[in-house]
Amino acid sequence: MLDYAALAALAAVIREGSFERAARALHVTPSAISQRIRLLEERVGCALVIRDQPCRATETGRRLCQHVDQVQLLEQDLQGTLPALAAQGMSRASVPIAVNADSLATWLAPAIAAFGAAHPVLLQVAVDDQDHTAEWLRSGAVLAAVSATARPASGCNSRPLGAMRYLAAASPAFLQRHFAHGVGAASLALAPSLVFNAKDELQARWVRRLCHRHVELPRHTLPSSHAFVTAALAGMGWGLHPQALIQSHLDNGSLVELLPDAPLDVPLHWHTARAASSLLDGLSAAILAAARTGLLPP
Amino acid sequence: MLDYAALAALAAVIREGSFERAARALHVTPSAISQRIRLLEERVGCALVIRDQPCRATETGRRLCQHVDQVQLLEQDLQGTLPALAAQGMSRASVPIAVNADSLATWLAPAIAAFGAAHPVLLQVAVDDQDHTAEWLRSGAVLAAVSATARPASGCNSRPLGAMRYLAAASPAFLQRHFAHGVGAASLALAPSLVFNAKDELQARWVRRLCHRHVELPRHTLPSSHAFVTAALAGMGWGLHPQALIQSHLDNGSLVELLPDAPLDVPLHWHTARAASSLLDGLSAAILAAARTGLLPP
């Protein structure tokens, strides 16, 4: 068997970001942590931790952390069937997942919160663009991900969740000022757009579909789903918003669509590492159920 | 004078993340971009771009990008006084700023949005922990920042904004389940807490003040101010929330404070690079005004 005291030390260093904090979390000395990780690195034959502030995992280190997460999930199942184990102190399995911000701002947060409240887990949620979350799973940084990618990484499963509907919208005053003569390549090249961050391709994709070519868009960057809506309401720019976040504003006229019948639907998928864990299965069931009411059918 | 065509190429590569996209944004070939940056690197005597996916700036590269931002701000002022320049095509200055997520989720977003809507700027907002945003300014990645640090970096100004009030809160059912016998080191070591990300020290700070020692907290990680509230409402964990985000939930009883009269006030400061720019002065005025109504007085 592998040295699980050493693996636990590795996981703690990556989770906590430093040897000192990991030592405190595991109630040992920093030099004990340091020694365990050095021995593990010798055994594996490569560096596992990038000693930076904060400490990060190497590719191999991440894969080992994912293994620790999977073993913890199995231990959790075992506690369920052998209550004597749990009586020694109820532990909670750590379940790291990566999701996109717009899902977290709409249909996903209530599902995660309800699952977390009802089960003996600690959920570590990371947020990234839906085109990049699958990479977190592939690299071993998480056990599950909401992703725009359909194809599962090797050793993983993927199930369709449904599509997130985005609408291109702005305030009526913004539309009047920038698009009084229509929405086209010329007006889009001058009207400020909103993008979530440098990875956000939605606005560019919507424009390419409309104009059949690339248009260089002036961009405000605003990495918050809710601030995106605030910015649109204030007339700062146009952007693609999840319909669920702006429907009430469309209904009362404080936001308007740039063009009618021009939604952008982004299919999402639920990727999981293959772990024989009833806890992870339960999380998947909760997330698939939430997607059935919160997303368009796959 | 410096080679501003080369500096513009550098800024575009860092903003866009790749030589190809920078070339498209500046309407030149990728090899022209590559050549300009190579010449600039020879002149400066060190690497300016880390050729990765996405491309990132070195320390020196970031400082040069900040200089480009400052020059663009000055050009914007010039356009205001010499309308003939503006007639050749209204350009917008790029103003990168770093802010904390909870400010963006409460008092700050409307101020940024209103300023962006009324001025010829493109605001590039980055989000980081309030203890880390000043670092963005120091490194040259942004021109201004909302930070918990009072002391300005060299070449920067700092003004107090007021304090953000945080309250430790959870759902009534959560409180009953985990804190029926009081809030102390023993119960806090077992009750799941909510943290925004690995940098979020607020919960630990609140606990240290209460218990006069370090308590290792079980943690869910949830990097979204709004999802934090959703999680608290569902009974997933306790955490420190901006009062502005949860006051309505406290009023209707769906959330309760862990302890009465135990707020945590985080003083915030507005840091700006010293640039003789009326646009940056205008942004500062807008943000200081919003802080006067959205934060506790400094």
Side-chain angles (χ1 to χ4, degrees), chain A residues 60-124:
Chain A
T60 310
R62 265 200 301 272
R63 186 62 194 80
L64 286 177
C65 286
Q66 192 182 41
H67 173 73
V68 174
D69 291 332
Q70 288 171 312
V71 171
Q72 278 191 335
L73 280 178
L74 292 176
E75 285 187 8
Q76 202 67 46
D77 286 358
L78 201 60
Q79 283 188 17
T81 50
L82 293 173
L85 283 178
Q88 291 170 23
M90 179 62 177
S91 79
R92 289 172 173 267
S94 188
V95 181
I97 65 176
V99 308
N100 61 317
D102 285 333
S103 285
L104 194 58
T106 54
W107 63 277
L108 188 59
I112 288 177
F115 184 82
H119 295 84
V121 291
L122 293 172
L123 288 160
Q124 319 299 335

Side-chain angles (χ1 to χ4, degrees), chain A residues 165-181:
Chain A
R165 171 152 290 186
Y166 286 88
L167 301 177
S171 71
F174 186 91
L175 208 70
Q176 181 56 37
R177 179 170 166 198
H178 292 280
F179 297 118
H181 305 295

